[in-house]
Amino acid sequence: MRYLWYLLPWQFSPAVLTVCVLTVALYLRGLLMLKRNGAPVGFWRPFVFFLGLAVSYAVLQTYFDFLAQHSFWVHCLQQLILHHLGPALIVLSGPVLVLREGLPRAGRTGAPRVLREMRLDWLRKPLRLAWRTLQHPLIAPLLFVGLIFFWLIPRVHFATMIDTRRYLLMNWSMFADGLLFWWVILAPKEEQGSAAVGYKVRLLILPFISMTQIVIGAYISLVPWQLYPIYALCGRALAISPMLDQQIGGLLTWIPGAMMSLVGVIVVLRHMMREEEAQLRMSPLRAETPGSSRPSAEVA
Amino acid sequence: MSVPSRRRTLACAPVMLGALLLAGCATRLQPDVTDVRGLVAPLEFNLTDQNGRAVTAADYRGDIVMLYFGYTHCTQECPATLAMLADALDRLGPLASRVRVLFVTVDPRRDTIPVLKRYVGDFGPHFVGLRGTDAQLTAMIKRYRVSYHDEKPDKNGNYEVIHSSVVFIFDGRGRARLLAQTGFSSAAITTDVRRLLEGGRLLEGT
């Protein structure tokens, strides 16, 4: 029974629970609808989706959260999961199709129509602008590394770790930005609609975010003084020295953070190959001459 | 690139600006004393004091409260910190009558009410010893985002407790104002507390 206690939230968040329950319900309904329509999605997509959601929930709403509040390296691991692993898995599973099927009929008609029916037509333009901005191939990576950097500025970090509201804001912002960024990188162009980002551009973004995380992580793990005294001041949760705690945290930002770019590159290359194959199938003659227009790409 | 080129707007300026504003907190006063207005939760608890009386934060309204987590078997940090605070109260002179030091034990197993009473009595009349059930203490450490845990006991059954080393300072309305970090000097605390007292701001509304 003692072990079950570790699975309970350290600080219960109704918001996290609500979002997770709604998402799971929507997804399950979508799976059921697709199966009923004779287009089941199989095992792996739902598995990857639920895995991404589960690891994100676990680092927020279990005893892990307590450790993350009182040990710097666990904090770094938490942010790595919230910002990199969880959202990337969710995006990789291609959840949009399933989630859309899970919506009530009215919601499936597409965002513009829903807005029109709710008499919120005026919102369409600002929403579109906001989405385009967040998905911009220059802004998305800057926001991604900018957030990692921002929450690790020692002064900001100090305030964040003693203020519950700032702490929650950090976690939400990292997860939301994780979804936005990995959507730019990992989603197929066809699914990205009007804000689609080309595959070659993505291959430029990935080394950039990798390099930035290496610089941040290396700095944290190599400086010979304490950057984040708050963990020692408020009582450390694990029996390691503050300097070692900081060094492991830096390494976690440095190595796995940067390694995620490699995973990104592999996924993007797979998308590119798939696109090429599709082109060959559609118009074998045209694809042979380089520089010719590519009809299949216009679909995006 | 096969995607048709499009004009995109660089409208992220407000986001970045908001982020920078958030950074502008936690200004330093004296060395090792930090302004934590609006960051740390207001004073709130249900505990038992060294006389066995159930108390809440409301019992200390009107006084400046210095909150510290520790335990009486602590050999170094706790006595040093409490001695420093006692010294700071001495320096405050008559103003000290408006200050309470709340010593919350993180070792309620060994720190029974009589033990606690003897211990805080050594530091002076402004010191209050507080003890809680596991649930009360857990609620308190969650609220103030601190932690504690017992180390492994030695062969005589003695054990140390790892705990926070900061002192939270609240004004007369129970709002968190200052945070003193390890190694603060009593002079630093005195200066900051006197400044707040004389400005009348720390006790406003009382």
Side-chain angles (χ1 to χ4, degrees):
Chain A
M1 285 315 276
R2 179 75 186 162
Y3 295 108
L4 280 178
W5 181 82
Y6 287 110
L7 294 177
L8 293 176
W10 176 249
Q11 275 169 322
F12 171 65
S13 160
V16 172
L17 187 70
T18 313
V19 168
C20 284
V21 167
L22 279 179
T23 310
V24 168
L26 211 61
Y27 195 86
L28 286 178
R29 186 166 185 267
L31 282 181
L32 212 72
M33 298 297 265
L34 283 169
K35 199 172 175 192
R36 204 175 291 167
N37 297 343
V41 281
F43 171 76
W44 285 107
R45 277 169 177 267
F47 177 77
V48 170
F49 176 80
F50 285 123
L51 187 66
L53 201 62
V55 291
S56 308
Y57 176 85
V59 297
L60 291 176
Q61 291 286 287
T62 65
Y63 190 71
F64 192 96
D65 182 41
F66 165 76
L67 296 176
Q69 286 181 26
H70 298 290
S71 164
F72 180 68
W73 79 260
V74 183
H75 162 81
C76 290
L77 183 62
Q78 179 195 43
Q79 298 305 311
L80 200 64
I81 290 173
L82 269 185
H83 200 207
H84 291 66
L85 188 64
L89 285 173
I90 291 173
V91 171
L92 258 185
S93 76
V96 174
L97 174 77
V98 184
L99 288 171
R100 187 182 288 154
E101 279 303 309
L103 285 172
R105 192 178 299 273
R108 253 175 288 162
T109 50
R113 193 148 160 217
V114 172
L115 283 178
R116 203 178 316 133
E117 276 167 15
M118 291 173 77
R119 294 169 187 270
L120 291 170
D121 237 358
W122 55 275
L123 259 177
R124 218 176 125 180
K125 233 176 161 176
L127 279 178
R128 212 173 134 101
L129 188 70
W131 179 250
R132 285 266 176 93
T133 308
L134 291 168
Q135 296 283 296
H136 190 282
L138 208 64
I139 293 170
L142 282 178
L143 202 61
F144 184 80
V145 292
L147 271 180
I148 299 176
F149 178 77
F150 174 73
W151 294 115
L152 285 171
I153 298 170
R155 249 165 55 129
V156 177
H157 199 74
F158 185 91
T160 306
M161 297 314 285
I162 55 167
D163 179 12
T164 305
R165 286 162 306 176
R166 278 181 173 74
Y167 179 75
L168 295 176
L169 179 66
M170 171 180 70
N171 289 341
W172 279 105
S173 70
M174 290 297 263
F175 182 69
D177 180 60
L179 285 177
L180 285 170
F181 178 76
W182 294 110
W183 181 256
V184 171
I185 299 297
L186 301 177
K189 265 192 321 204
E190 309 86 85
E191 281 190 35
Q192 287 178 337
S194 64
V197 175
Y199 295 133
K200 283 175 193 157
V201 177
R202 301 184 198 188
L203 290 180
L204 289 175
I205 295 174
L206 285 165
F208 164 73
I209 64 142
S210 173
M211 286 307 292
T212 334
Q213 287 173 96
I214 287 171
V215 171
I216 297 172
Y219 177 77
I220 292 172
S221 51
L222 295 178
V223 290
W225 58 83
Q226 266 193 69
L227 291 170
Y228 308 108
I230 188 79
Y231 295 93
L233 289 172
C234 286
R236 56 197 166 84
L238 302 171
I240 55 170
S241 77
M243 279 316 286
L244 183 62
D245 193 16
Q246 179 172 321
Q247 284 155 359
I248 300 174
L251 284 175
L252 278 172
T253 309
W254 182 348
I255 297 163
M259 285 288 280
M260 271 299 286
S261 284
L262 195 64
V263 178
V265 167
I266 293 170
V267 174
V268 173
L269 287 177
R270 220 192 92 215
H271 284 326
M272 290 175 91
M273 280 164 65
R274 227 173 18 93
E275 189 184 43
E276 216 157 278
E277 278 167 20
Q279 279 166 14
L280 283 172
R281 245 186 327 233
M282 278 177 75
S283 55
L285 285 174
R286 274 173 140 185
E288 272 164 345
T289 45
S292 64
S293 72
R294 301 178 195 173
S296 66
E298 310 287 288
V299 180
Chain B
M1 232 178 76
S2 46
V3 177
S5 68
R6 238 175 247 110
R7 278 198 307 150
R8 303 195 200 239
T9 326
L10 286 145
C12 69
V15 180
M16 292 297 181
L17 205 68
L20 282 175
L21 284 176
L22 261 174
C25 43
T27 28
R28 290 230 148 179
L29 303 153
Q30 293 290 313
D32 301 318
V33 181
T34 312
D35 187 341
V36 291
R37 249 178 304 180
L39 294 177
V40 173
L43 193 64
E44 203 180 295
F45 59 81
N46 284 299
L47 295 166
T48 307
D49 75 0
Q50 81 273 21
N51 299 313
R53 206 162 49 102
V55 288
T56 67
D59 294 308
Y60 304 98
R61 279 292 134 82
D63 288 334
I64 289 174
V65 168
M66 297 180 175
L67 175 71
Y68 179 70
F69 296 89
Y71 64 113
T72 65
H73 286 71
C74 184
T75 49
Q76 289 180 346
E77 224 164 48
C78 307
T81 303
L82 292 176
M84 197 78 89
L85 290 177
D87 189 40
L89 291 187
D90 279 348
R91 286 163 183 261
L92 277 172
L95 286 176
S97 64
R98 312 204 61 176
V99 180
R100 287 278 168 280
V101 179
L102 305 187
F103 174 77
V104 178
T105 178
V106 290
D107 185 18
R109 194 148 36 119
R110 287 184 296 187
D111 292 344
T112 55
I113 299 287
V115 171
L116 211 50
K117 183 164 186 165
R118 211 173 321 129
Y119 188 75
V120 292
D122 288 345
F123 292 97
H126 307 298
F127 285 71
V128 179
L130 295 174
R131 187 179 183 274
T133 61
D134 276 352
Q136 286 171 332
L137 191 55
T138 304
M140 185 101 186
I141 67 156
K142 281 182 185 179
R143 187 169 176 83
Y144 294 100
R145 305 181 69 82
V146 293
S147 83
Y148 71 92
H149 68 266
D150 300 349
E151 296 264 87
K152 283 200 181 71
D154 64 14
K155 55 184 185 302
N156 300 319
N158 296 323
Y159 56 91
E160 288 186 25
V161 184
I162 302 296
H163 62 92
S164 62
S165 59
V166 287
V167 180
F168 298 98
I169 300 176
F170 299 84
D171 66 15
R173 279 178 164 184
R175 291 174 303 193
R177 301 301 285 263
L178 305 170
L179 183 109
Q181 306 181 13
T182 330
F184 63 85
S185 70
S186 51
I189 293 255
T190 315
T191 309
D192 284 327
V193 170
R194 178 173 287 139
R195 188 160 55 198
L196 288 167
L197 270 168
E198 283 171 355
R201 281 176 297 161
L202 209 55
L203 288 167
E204 75 191 33
T206 59

